[in-house]
Amino acid sequence: MKVANNLFIVTGGAGGIGKAVSSILTSKGALVALFDVLDSSKGSEVAKSIGDKAVYVQVDITESNSVKKGIETAQQHFAKELESSGGKLSGCVHCAGIAIKQEWTNNMVDSIPNFEKMLKVNTVGTFVINAHVADAINAQYPKADGERFFTTDEERGIIVNFASVAGHDLYARCLSYGPTKAAVLGMTRSFADFLGPSGIRVCSVSPSIVISGLTAGFSGYFQDDLTAHAAFPRSPVPAEKIVDTVLHLIENQWLNGEDIRVDGGWRLVTNRAKDKADPRELAPGLE
Ligand SMILES: NC(=O)c1ccc[n+]([C@@H]2O[C@H](COP(=O)([O-])OP(=O)(O)OC[C@H]3O[C@@H](n4cnc5c(N)ncnc54)[C@H](O)[C@@H]3O)[C@@H](O)[C@H]2O)c1
């Protein structure tokens, strides 16, 4: 998908990965709407630091009406630029997500509230954002008379979701975050299949560890684990390498329904060696 002059939505745009993605997209000539739950003044400061091709819109991605309104606001904000360049809403990089930390207990039921919260943001939110962005992209094109569905042979858009290595390697340390991200891998494939006829691709990225607000406080533990279990490089991923991958997914039309792990060959394993403490003692309690 062409980046220059087109409008992209970046959810979680005020967060670590979202901000880095927004910056690179605007540097390549895109217009970017940052969606985040942060209050408007804080979010606007982030957008301002990126430049006048970025705008902040306060949106809760779990709320269908909030997302619909947010997309309309973004399109209205850039209406003049889009009209003069012939650009369109062409995609979304969906970075909004949460990971909740809680001390492990011996009761599995203690994890239910956090599972529900992460399911709402990471899983339901992904469905909501993918659905609204796809509909808004399609709505820009006329449907042929008598046709029931949007059908085209031209490329109209791309959605890049954020899953995680924890969505692939579902082990004890990520009891509920992992499953909520496995669902993101599933939706990436099902939306890609469903949206293919309307020329919209859907892919995802699965990073290992990127230093950001989400991983603050876990980095020591994960650094040790990367050193022990990654192939190479055995270190967190710099945000610019995630951004490179996102750009590649946007620009290479033949990547569809695909997830790219950016993890230095790290595979999450639970160490159950007899001389080691209970794995729940060792893991950082990332629900
Ligand atoms: N950082 C990592 O190591 C890592 C690893 C694997 C996957 N991921 C995934 O990558 C994505 C980006 O992570 P990050 O490191 O930039 O995290 P981050 O915490 O820096 O940013 C996430 C952003 O999402 C926003 N957000 C949370 N709930 C929201 C909601 N309901 N509506 C709108 N915005 C909301 C937050 O306010 C925050 O700004 C997430 O989906 C995360 O699960 C991150």
Side-chain angles (χ1 to χ4, degrees):
M1 191 75 226
K2 184 168 118 355
V3 170
N5 299 324
N6 283 325
L7 170 60
F8 289 83
I9 287 158
V10 179
T11 73
I17 296 174
K19 187 181 172 199
V21 167
S22 301
S23 300
I24 196 76
L25 288 177
T26 55
S27 77
K28 300 231 166 229
L31 305 166
V32 173
L34 285 71
F35 286 8
D36 208 293
V37 276
L38 280 192
D39 70 45
S40 287
S41 61
K42 279 190 195 146
S44 298
E45 268 182 33
V46 178
K48 217 165 140 197
S49 73
I50 295 171
D52 58 7
K53 285 189 174 140
V55 66
Y56 179 70
V57 190
Q58 189 179 12
V59 169
D60 181 342
I61 56 136
T62 66
E63 297 294 334
S64 185
N65 281 338
S66 173
V67 173
K68 188 171 187 297
K69 236 175 98 196
I71 294 174
E72 286 163 5
T73 305
Q75 287 178 307
Q76 277 159 16
H77 180 87
F78 288 119
K80 266 195 202 141
E81 289 90 333
L82 292 171
E83 202 186 331
S84 67
S85 69
K88 291 199 175 336
L89 171 65
S90 296
C92 171
V93 184
H94 169 42
C95 306
I98 56 169
I100 300 174
K101 187 177 181 230
Q102 171 172 293
E103 194 83 346
W104 294 114
T105 77
N106 203 30
N107 303 314
M108 299 303 285
V109 297
D110 293 343
S111 295
I112 293 172
N114 284 342
F115 177 58
E116 286 177 339
K117 280 185 205 151
M118 286 188 277
L119 196 63
K120 183 99 195 273
V121 177
N122 297 346
T123 307
V124 177
T126 297
F127 198 100
V128 171
I129 202 85
N130 279 236
H132 274 290
V133 169
D135 287 355
I137 292 173
N138 275 328
Q140 300 171 118
Y141 298 88
K143 200 149 32 81
D145 278 351
E147 258 192 28
R148 193 169 159 213
F149 299 116
F150 292 99
T151 313
T152 181
D153 288 327
E154 70 180 335
E155 186 184 32
R156 290 184 173 171
I158 164 88
I159 298 169
V160 179
N161 291 317
F162 268 81
S164 167
V165 289
H168 289 268
D169 304 336
L170 293 154
Y171 293 107
R173 68 192 63 192
C174 295
L175 181 63
S176 23
Y177 175 76
T180 67
K181 289 295 186 176
V184 174
L185 295 170
M187 282 183 275
T188 296
R189 294 197 70 85
S190 63
F191 270 80
D193 177 49
F194 218 83
L195 295 173
S198 33
I200 300 170
R201 294 183 292 118
V202 187
C203 292
S204 59
V205 181
S206 286
S208 56
I209 299 300
V210 185
I211 303 299
S212 75
L214 192 106
T215 46
F218 304 138
S219 46
Y221 170 81
F222 283 126
Q223 180 57 68
D224 290 349
D225 206 76
L226 281 162
T227 307
H229 298 296
F232 179 83
R234 290 186 288 273
S235 56
V237 192
E240 61 266 26
K241 290 295 151 204
I242 300 293
V243 165
D244 285 353
T245 310
V246 169
L247 268 184
H248 183 56
L249 288 168
I250 292 175
E251 289 175 346
N252 187 338
Q253 226 179 67
W254 273 262
L255 291 170
N256 199 2
E258 196 54 74
D259 177 74
I260 301 185
R261 289 180 73 132
V262 186
D263 64 4
W266 189 40
R267 296 295 177 267
L268 280 72
V269 290
T270 297
N271 192 336
R272 295 194 172 85
K274 282 206 171 102
D275 61 337
K276 287 269 188 297
D278 183 306
R280 288 165 296 184
E281 299 278 357
L282 299 171
L286 178 62
E287 287 267 351

